[in-house]
Amino acid sequence: MPILSRRGRLAIAAVVDIALHAVSGPVAAKALAARQNLPPRHLEPLLQALVRNGILKGMRGPRGGYDLARERRSITCGEIVRATVEIADDEFDAISPLVSAVVVPAVEAAERTYFAQLDRITIAELCAAASENLADSPNLQFETA
């Protein structure tokens, strides 16, 4: 069972895809969605969350699309996943002393460890792995920076 949500995996894949394809200009959401086999409307909220969090920059207009807001090596998977996680609903924490005193602190410690590991993985590393492992795939052609 994967711990990382589908949304988190998709967000990381979208940022890597944009990093690989935005060399000659912004990546259109429609082109990105086609490469990910998704309808564009499915990706748009995710892309907007990444823009709001300073991971991507969005450009409007006929030649608009998305590009990285910073260098590949300064964007981590942990940052991407945090940007896409909805704010937790804390109302359940107040219901039970067991939840607030025992479960929440234990889970928070595990989450810190989990995110520390994700923060070690940069988009630059994933782009290098994609270049090495997917360069011969006809459906995944991209430019390298």
PDB file of all heavy atoms in Angstrom, residues 25-28 59-66:
ATOM      1  N   GLY A  25      10.102  26.771 -23.393  1.00  0.00           N
ATOM      2  CA  GLY A  25       8.935  27.604 -23.125  1.00  0.00           C
ATOM      3  C   GLY A  25       8.009  26.930 -22.142  1.00  0.00           C
ATOM      4  O   GLY A  25       8.203  25.765 -21.787  1.00  0.00           O
ATOM      5  N   PRO A  26       6.989  27.647 -21.680  1.00  0.00           N
ATOM      6  CA  PRO A  26       6.070  27.088 -20.690  1.00  0.00           C
ATOM      7  C   PRO A  26       5.346  25.848 -21.219  1.00  0.00           C
ATOM      8  O   PRO A  26       5.123  25.707 -22.418  1.00  0.00           O
ATOM      9  CB  PRO A  26       5.076  28.208 -20.427  1.00  0.00           C
ATOM     10  CG  PRO A  26       5.519  29.381 -21.196  1.00  0.00           C
ATOM     11  CD  PRO A  26       6.640  28.994 -22.079  1.00  0.00           C
ATOM     12  N   VAL A  27       4.978  24.971 -20.306  1.00  0.00           N
ATOM     13  CA  VAL A  27       4.267  23.740 -20.642  1.00  0.00           C
ATOM     14  C   VAL A  27       2.775  23.975 -20.463  1.00  0.00           C
ATOM     15  O   VAL A  27       2.327  24.359 -19.376  1.00  0.00           O
ATOM     16  CB  VAL A  27       4.737  22.573 -19.741  1.00  0.00           C
ATOM     17  CG1 VAL A  27       3.902  21.337 -19.966  1.00  0.00           C
ATOM     18  CG2 VAL A  27       6.211  22.293 -19.974  1.00  0.00           C
ATOM     19  N   ALA A  28       2.015  23.751 -21.523  1.00  0.00           N
ATOM     20  CA  ALA A  28       0.562  23.904 -21.459  1.00  0.00           C
ATOM     21  C   ALA A  28      -0.034  22.781 -20.611  1.00  0.00           C
ATOM     22  O   ALA A  28       0.406  21.629 -20.687  1.00  0.00           O
ATOM     23  CB  ALA A  28      -0.034  23.870 -22.860  1.00  0.00           C
ATOM     24  N   MET A  59       1.824  31.145 -16.534  1.00  0.00           N
ATOM     25  CA  MET A  59       1.812  32.232 -17.508  1.00  0.00           C
ATOM     26  C   MET A  59       0.552  32.113 -18.341  1.00  0.00           C
ATOM     27  O   MET A  59       0.245  31.038 -18.855  1.00  0.00           O
ATOM     28  CB  MET A  59       3.049  32.150 -18.390  1.00  0.00           C
ATOM     29  CG  MET A  59       4.312  32.495 -17.617  1.00  0.00           C
ATOM     30  SD  MET A  59       5.764  31.703 -18.279  1.00  0.00           S
ATOM     31  CE  MET A  59       5.812  30.230 -17.282  1.00  0.00           C
ATOM     32  N   ARG A  60      -0.179  33.210 -18.445  1.00  0.00           N
ATOM     33  CA  ARG A  60      -1.436  33.216 -19.191  1.00  0.00           C
ATOM     34  C   ARG A  60      -1.191  33.549 -20.650  1.00  0.00           C
ATOM     35  O   ARG A  60      -0.144  34.047 -21.023  1.00  0.00           O
ATOM     36  CB  ARG A  60      -2.389  34.223 -18.583  1.00  0.00           C
ATOM     37  CG  ARG A  60      -2.783  33.856 -17.181  1.00  0.00           C
ATOM     38  CD  ARG A  60      -3.674  34.923 -16.600  1.00  0.00           C
ATOM     39  NE  ARG A  60      -3.903  34.629 -15.214  1.00  0.00           N
ATOM     40  CZ  ARG A  60      -5.097  34.468 -14.686  1.00  0.00           C
ATOM     41  NH1 ARG A  60      -6.163  34.605 -15.427  1.00  0.00           N
ATOM     42  NH2 ARG A  60      -5.236  34.209 -13.419  1.00  0.00           N
ATOM     43  N   GLY A  61      -2.216  33.307 -21.451  1.00  0.00           N
ATOM     44  CA  GLY A  61      -2.143  33.686 -22.852  1.00  0.00           C
ATOM     45  C   GLY A  61      -1.997  32.486 -23.766  1.00  0.00           C
ATOM     46  O   GLY A  61      -1.868  31.345 -23.306  1.00  0.00           O
ATOM     47  N   PRO A  62      -2.006  32.740 -25.078  1.00  0.00           N
ATOM     48  CA  PRO A  62      -1.967  31.653 -26.045  1.00  0.00           C
ATOM     49  C   PRO A  62      -0.687  30.820 -25.965  1.00  0.00           C
ATOM     50  O   PRO A  62      -0.682  29.652 -26.305  1.00  0.00           O
ATOM     51  CB  PRO A  62      -2.070  32.345 -27.406  1.00  0.00           C
ATOM     52  CG  PRO A  62      -1.994  33.797 -27.159  1.00  0.00           C
ATOM     53  CD  PRO A  62      -2.118  34.041 -25.688  1.00  0.00           C
ATOM     54  N   ARG A  63       0.393  31.396 -25.517  1.00  0.00           N
ATOM     55  CA  ARG A  63       1.644  30.636 -25.364  1.00  0.00           C
ATOM     56  C   ARG A  63       1.963  30.429 -23.892  1.00  0.00           C
ATOM     57  O   ARG A  63       3.122  30.220 -23.529  1.00  0.00           O
ATOM     58  CB  ARG A  63       2.778  31.356 -26.054  1.00  0.00           C
ATOM     59  CG  ARG A  63       2.511  31.377 -27.517  1.00  0.00           C
ATOM     60  CD  ARG A  63       3.644  31.790 -28.290  1.00  0.00           C
ATOM     61  NE  ARG A  63       3.073  31.795 -29.640  1.00  0.00           N
ATOM     62  CZ  ARG A  63       3.716  31.895 -30.730  1.00  0.00           C
ATOM     63  NH1 ARG A  63       4.927  32.016 -30.683  1.00  0.00           N
ATOM     64  NH2 ARG A  63       3.143  31.879 -31.880  1.00  0.00           N
ATOM     65  N   GLY A  64       0.939  30.484 -23.088  1.00  0.00           N
ATOM     66  CA  GLY A  64       1.118  30.342 -21.651  1.00  0.00           C
ATOM     67  C   GLY A  64       1.253  28.901 -21.238  1.00  0.00           C
ATOM     68  O   GLY A  64       1.272  27.989 -22.045  1.00  0.00           O
ATOM     69  N   GLY A  65       1.350  28.734 -19.962  1.00  0.00           N
ATOM     70  CA  GLY A  65       1.502  27.400 -19.396  1.00  0.00           C
ATOM     71  C   GLY A  65       2.221  27.507 -18.065  1.00  0.00           C
ATOM     72  O   GLY A  65       2.094  28.508 -17.359  1.00  0.00           O
ATOM     73  N   TYR A  66       2.992  26.496 -17.769  1.00  0.00           N
ATOM     74  CA  TYR A  66       3.674  26.422 -16.475  1.00  0.00           C
ATOM     75  C   TYR A  66       5.154  26.189 -16.670  1.00  0.00           C
ATOM     76  O   TYR A  66       5.581  25.501 -17.588  1.00  0.00           O
ATOM     77  CB  TYR A  66       3.074  25.292 -15.629  1.00  0.00           C
ATOM     78  CG  TYR A  66       1.644  25.555 -15.280  1.00  0.00           C
ATOM     79  CD1 TYR A  66       0.618  25.106 -16.098  1.00  0.00           C
ATOM     80  CD2 TYR A  66       1.320  26.294 -14.149  1.00  0.00           C
ATOM     81  CE1 TYR A  66      -0.711  25.371 -15.791  1.00  0.00           C
ATOM     82  CE2 TYR A  66      -0.002  26.563 -13.837  1.00  0.00           C
ATOM     83  CZ  TYR A  66      -1.007  26.096 -14.657  1.00  0.00           C
ATOM     84  OH  TYR A  66      -2.309  26.367 -14.353  1.00  0.00           O
TER      85      TYR A  66
END
